[in-house]
Amino acid sequence: MSYMESLTQYVGHFVDQLYQSGVRDVVISPGSRSTPLSLTFAEYNQFNIWVDIDERSAGFFAAGIAKQTKKAVVLVCSSGTAAANYYPAIIEAAYSRIPLIVLTADRPHELRDVGAPQAIDQIKLYGDYVKWFHEMALPEATPNILQYARNHADRAVHTSQYQVKGPVHLNFPFREPLIPDFSLDDVWGNGAILTQHFPFEGTQMSGSVLKDIEQQLHGRKRGIIICGPHDYLDLADEILNLAEKWQLPLFADPLSSLRHLDGENVVVESYDSILKSNKVRELVRVDFIVRFGAMPVSKPILQLLQENDIEQFIIDEDVTFRNPSIKSAHYIFGKPADIAKQLASLSLSLDRDWLLMWQQLNESAKKVLIQEQQALTEGLAVRGIQTVIPDESILFVGNSMPIRDVDTFWLATDKTINIHANRGANGIDGVLSTALGMATSGKRVTLLIGDISFLHSINGLLLTKNYQLDLTIVLINNQGGGIFSFLPQAKEESPHYEMLFGTPQSVEFEKVAAVYDIDFTSVEEWSAYLHALENSYRQQGVSLIEVKTDRNENVNWHQQKWQFIEKHTLTILEEYRNVY
């Protein structure tokens, strides 16, 4: 059998098995050495094929698709630095638990470490950021090797999706010639693996474990339930039920799916604004915290944990230790929704005034946050989105200030809005591409992003030239890195601040929009902003709404809000001094 026949059947069986194991989306960055994979995926004619010439963008685009579909997405690239450009997205996928199957083409072994072009060391290129790495065998068409190809395709899918989701990496060495012959018989084979996989389905804590937890909580009357970012479809309702059963305040991160009116009697949205005050954190005495999901966006939550010895119960799917407070904690591993349901069965004696106090604190803070004004600020940009965003749509939020403003200003709503962000590594790279990946679902996506993050991932807009994706981009243009204005760097009055941290780029975004044939509007006033959003939601495709703000004015506006909230909070705490 010729090498071409071996290559064709080997890759054909591998690709067929990926489909049989559940893969539907493949993101390809063109290259020569990856020709066998790219052509075979296209010839199979069953996958959704997405082509992105920029590997860094492609990695985040695939992550966006996987976030939305909750299924593994395949990435294909050539050898050399093409594979290295996937690295940021793979890091994000590792920390955000996103299932990606990374297929990198490579030179055959005899062309490695001899100066051949586009030949770098790709063995374990992504280190421990992937759940599994495997160097695939050179193509053969013997029964054993064809079965081997299927086994590894199936294993890649299931490893990426269970138990905790994450990326896997298969490296394919290919010799020339690289073009398969699809006229051959038995390209795809008929020996698809239909193995059953029995992933972890549920958790049943023993009676003794539940009793131990109950004893740990005995005498502790002031608790808080925290729900951070997660992607469990059944978790939000169970956590809400737990909070209502225990009558405890529920601190709901914006990425928790819990900021809705059904839970307004226990859900506290404004905890971040309330706890920004050192005085408030010193006065409020929390006995215990039960946390589901990753750590919340809110820095004051972390400060509260670091500054006090609070009994912590951290619930996670697998044996991981997501506890940046570096304080002692009790870890409960298992299916979070099941654990929440079982905890709700415990009988606890808690202080009912504690919840009443937090309800009053929350309502007081919300009144300050939603005070009407005509000047368009970065916080009001969030309120504007919440006002007119279509029900059953997606909000994707950039890091730095946008996600913090969403944490502060996205309040309880009766709309079903899925809010997402790249909070695994908290980076600004790939935000635009991830949002576009989520738009492949056909749902309208609204992206809230800062000017530096937008420019950092602008290559993602290339995808809009080739695919019909409905995306409304709200671009906060404050001429630089706005988040640094809130940090100590800005207070030092260094002559180097603007060059190193402010980093104004002075880009005319209308011209950027013109390059990509994107509808563009620039606004500086509230009513014009709402009108621009409404227009965007009425049309298909991508539109860019630039919201111009001033960094210094933005800092002052936020600080005034926090000062008012602190004042009202301290007054309420005085009324409840017997509680805290």
Side-chain angles (χ1 to χ4, degrees), residues 227-256:
C227 187
H230 68 87
D231 65 352
Y232 306 109
L233 296 177
D234 57 349
L235 181 56
D237 288 341
E238 294 298 343
I239 292 177
L240 181 59
N241 179 62
L242 173 63
E244 289 174 342
K245 286 283 184 66
W246 284 3
Q247 284 294 284
L248 287 179
L250 170 53
F251 288 9
D253 185 90
L255 306 177
S256 69

Side-chain angles (χ1 to χ4, degrees), residues 209-225 241-248 287-290 313 339-340 342-352 354:
V209 170
L210 283 169
K211 187 174 181 180
D212 285 345
I213 295 171
E214 194 170 60
Q215 289 177 343
Q216 290 284 348
L217 294 174
H218 180 71
R220 302 182 186 278
K221 298 185 177 296
R222 299 177 296 276
I224 294 172
I225 297 173
N241 179 62
L242 173 63
E244 289 174 342
K245 286 283 184 66
W246 284 3
Q247 284 294 284
L248 287 179
D287 290 337
F288 68 94
I289 283 174
V290 179
F313 293 82
I339 292 172
Q342 291 171 73
L343 290 177
S345 69
L346 298 181
S347 179
L348 303 178
S349 177
L350 303 172
D351 192 331
R352 300 307 181 196
W354 176 250

Side-chain angles (χ1 to χ4, degrees), residues 333-471:
F333 299 118
K335 189 177 180 183
D338 287 351
I339 292 172
K341 185 182 295 185
Q342 291 171 73
L343 290 177
S345 69
L346 298 181
S347 179
L348 303 178
S349 177
L350 303 172
D351 192 331
R352 300 307 181 196
D353 286 339
W354 176 250
L355 175 59
L356 292 174
M357 182 188 81
W358 277 103
Q359 289 171 333
Q360 193 170 340
L361 290 174
N362 192 44
E363 289 304 312
S364 175
K366 285 162 66 173
K367 288 178 182 178
V368 175
L369 294 173
I370 64 175
Q371 286 173 347
E372 292 188 6
Q373 65 181 75
Q374 283 303 306
L376 184 54
T377 64
E378 295 180 22
L380 286 182
V382 174
R383 300 290 298 137
I385 292 172
Q386 189 170 23
T387 301
V388 298
I389 190 172
D391 196 12
E392 303 288 343
S393 64
I394 298 167
L395 173 63
F396 199 88
V397 189
N399 285 317
S400 297
M401 279 309 296
I403 188 61
R404 286 165 175 81
D405 278 329
V406 167
D407 192 11
T408 300
F409 294 97
W410 191 275
L411 305 178
T413 177
D414 56 358
K415 294 179 180 178
T416 302
I417 306 298
N418 293 316
I419 306 177
H420 296 271
N422 285 343
R423 293 303 292 174
N426 294 195
I428 67 168
D429 41 354
V431 172
L432 177 57
S433 296
T434 313
L436 287 166
M438 301 204 78
T440 62
S441 65
K443 285 191 173 184
R444 164 71 63 170
V445 176
T446 302
L447 170 63
L448 178 65
I449 190 170
D451 53 331
I452 299 300
S453 294
F454 180 81
L455 291 169
H456 197 273
S457 58
I458 200 169
N459 271 8
L461 288 176
L462 287 168
L463 290 158
T464 68
K465 301 288 287 183
N466 299 317
Y467 303 105
Q468 175 62 49
L469 303 170
D470 295 331
L471 178 69

Side-chain angles (χ1 to χ4, degrees), residues 268-299:
V268 175
E269 316 107 293
S270 301
Y271 56 87
D272 180 80
S273 298
I274 294 166
L275 293 173
K276 281 190 185 295
S277 164
N278 292 331
K279 293 179 182 178
V280 171
R281 293 200 305 275
E282 289 172 1
L283 288 172
V284 173
R285 296 300 179 194
V286 181
D287 290 337
F288 68 94
I289 283 174
V290 179
R291 174 165 66 81
F292 297 83
M295 272 299 292
V297 171
S298 171
K299 185 176 181 179

